[in-house]
Amino acid sequence: MSGTQAVTATPVQVPKQPVSGVTRTKGKDATGKSPLWVRIVLAVICIVWIVPTLGLALTSFRPQTDATNSGWWTLFTTPANFTRLTLENYGDLFTRADMDTAFVNTLAITVPATIIPILIAAFAAYAFTFMQFPGRDLLLIVVVGLLVVPTQVALVPLLRIFGELGINGTFPAIWIAHIGFGMPLAVYIIRNYMATLPREVIESAKIDGATHFQTFWKLILPMSTPVLASFAIFQFLWVWNDLLNALIFIGPNNNAPLSIALVSLLGQQGQGWQLLTAGGLFMMIVPIIVFLSLQRYFVRGMTAGAVKG
């Protein structure tokens, strides 16, 4: 054809779409589930953690003769033994030990020793993160360096200081000990979390004329709830289950917590050991409630400060 140009059609390439429409995730199969071996490993880990607690619970309901002559697993091999379960151990537990007073003492020790270091560490973490002052980095290194110092080396000096102050055997002594031992880790964890918070919020608060206290109390503290709850779990469990510091700074007196009350049930020849299972299960109730109440913050608080950006 004259005066005209031939037009050549270019084929349009259509991108190929996945046949199944399922995007595979690393570590998972096409259905989005974890491989079978992963689920098996997780199941084994759960069983390893649960079996000792199950044995403790069942033994606490068994008579002394049965617990002495056979293991708790015989309840499953001989189901008729379930009819022999009794509350006798719990009755003897509250008869031979003043568990009510010990429970109240444990709460009186644990609650202040958990709340006070968190508040102080939160103030310190805010200063290390958002405030400029001479020697800030050096002071932070010193505080974090205290993590590698064994707490046992401070027991004798603290005991002598508390003796001179006349507070040995009282609640303030054990409060000060737990606050001091828990402070370095609290500052380190909370400071790492606050470092991930957006600094635009702080700048906006400064422009609006907010003081450091107002910024901390109204902005930073609510935003740091996950890490505060996470450390609260750690500190609560450490203080609640503590025996060493309780024996040193409290001792077997009217202020003794549950850990000392349980130890007093065990005789020099090992008699009364069956009561420890009932006491141990009774002592686990509150920590389990605390952990289940705060578990939704646990993973977020522990992993938020691991990376930044």
Side-chain angles (χ1 to χ4, degrees), residues 153-177:
V153 302
L155 296 180
V156 174
L158 282 178
L159 188 63
R160 295 184 60 180
I161 294 174
F162 293 161
E164 295 175 357
L165 297 176
I167 61 174
N168 273 334
T170 63
F171 290 145
I174 193 69
W175 290 341
I176 295 174

Side-chain angles (χ1 to χ4, degrees), residues 9-29:
T10 304
V12 179
Q13 295 182 354
V14 179
K16 295 182 179 180
Q17 300 293 334
V19 178
S20 60
V22 178
T23 302
R24 293 195 177 187
T25 305
K26 185 177 181 180
K28 296 184 179 181
D29 55 18

Side-chain angles (χ1 to χ4, degrees), residues 10-306:
T10 304
V12 179
Q13 295 182 354
V14 179
K16 295 182 179 180
Q17 300 293 334
V19 178
S20 60
V22 178
T23 302
R24 293 195 177 187
T25 305
K26 185 177 181 180
K28 296 184 179 181
D29 55 18
T31 61
K33 296 182 179 180
S34 300
L36 179 61
W37 69 269
V38 173
R39 284 177 280 175
I40 293 176
V41 171
L42 292 177
V44 171
I45 293 176
C46 292
I47 292 174
V48 169
W49 276 94
I50 293 175
V51 165
T53 305
L54 177 63
L56 177 72
L58 293 177
T59 304
S60 67
F61 293 102
R62 302 186 71 199
Q64 181 179 1
T65 54
D66 291 358
T68 303
N69 296 327
S70 61
W72 59 268
W73 52 87
T74 57
L75 290 171
F76 299 97
T77 58
T78 310
N81 290 336
F82 277 100
T83 60
R84 295 175 55 83
L85 298 182
T86 177
L87 296 174
E88 181 181 355
N89 291 334
Y90 290 92
D92 293 342
L93 175 68
F94 285 89
T95 301
R96 295 177 53 179
D98 192 1
M99 299 298 291
D100 297 335
T101 303
F103 181 81
V104 174
N105 291 339
T106 306
L107 285 177
I109 293 172
T110 306
V111 173
T114 301
I115 296 176
I116 295 175
I118 289 178
L119 289 178
I120 298 176
F123 278 110
Y126 175 86
F128 284 128
T129 307
F130 301 109
M131 297 177 65
Q132 299 291 335
F133 55 89
R136 185 189 67 169
D137 295 337
L138 178 61
L139 184 58
L140 179 61
I141 293 174
V142 172
V143 172
V144 175
L146 293 176
L147 290 172
V148 302
V149 179
T151 57
Q152 290 80 1
V153 302
L155 296 180
V156 174
L158 282 178
L159 188 63
R160 295 184 60 180
I161 294 174
F162 293 161
E164 295 175 357
L165 297 176
I167 61 174
N168 273 334
T170 63
F171 290 145
I174 193 69
W175 290 341
I176 295 174
H178 282 301
I179 291 171
F181 295 151
M183 192 67 63
L185 181 61
V187 173
Y188 176 73
I189 293 177
I190 299 175
R191 187 265 174 191
N192 285 351
Y193 181 90
M194 288 185 178
T196 64
L197 299 179
R199 293 186 175 271
E200 292 78 6
V201 176
I202 308 300
E203 299 299 331
S204 300
K206 289 181 179 179
I207 294 174
D208 292 338
T211 63
H212 280 296
F213 181 79
Q214 292 173 332
T215 303
F216 169 79
W217 192 258
K218 295 182 179 181
L219 293 177
I220 301 301
L221 201 61
M223 295 171 64
S224 302
T225 300
V227 70
L228 298 179
S230 299
F231 183 78
I233 293 176
F234 280 127
Q235 184 73 359
F236 188 93
L237 295 180
W238 289 335
V239 179
W240 183 274
N241 296 320
D242 174 70
L243 176 61
L244 177 61
N245 294 313
L247 282 174
I248 293 176
F249 300 114
I250 294 293
N253 56 26
N254 295 330
N255 296 328
L258 284 172
S259 56
I260 295 180
L262 292 182
V263 172
S264 64
L265 295 174
L266 189 63
Q268 295 182 353
Q269 304 299 325
Q271 63 272 22
W273 68 268
Q274 75 281 356
L275 301 180
L276 294 182
T277 58
L281 191 64
F282 174 75
M283 192 173 177
M284 290 169 55
I285 296 176
V286 173
I288 290 176
I289 294 175
V290 170
F291 182 81
L292 294 179
S293 301
L294 301 177
Q295 65 173 342
R296 61 195 181 104
Y297 298 109
F298 185 73
V299 175
R300 273 196 298 162
M302 289 295 97
T303 59

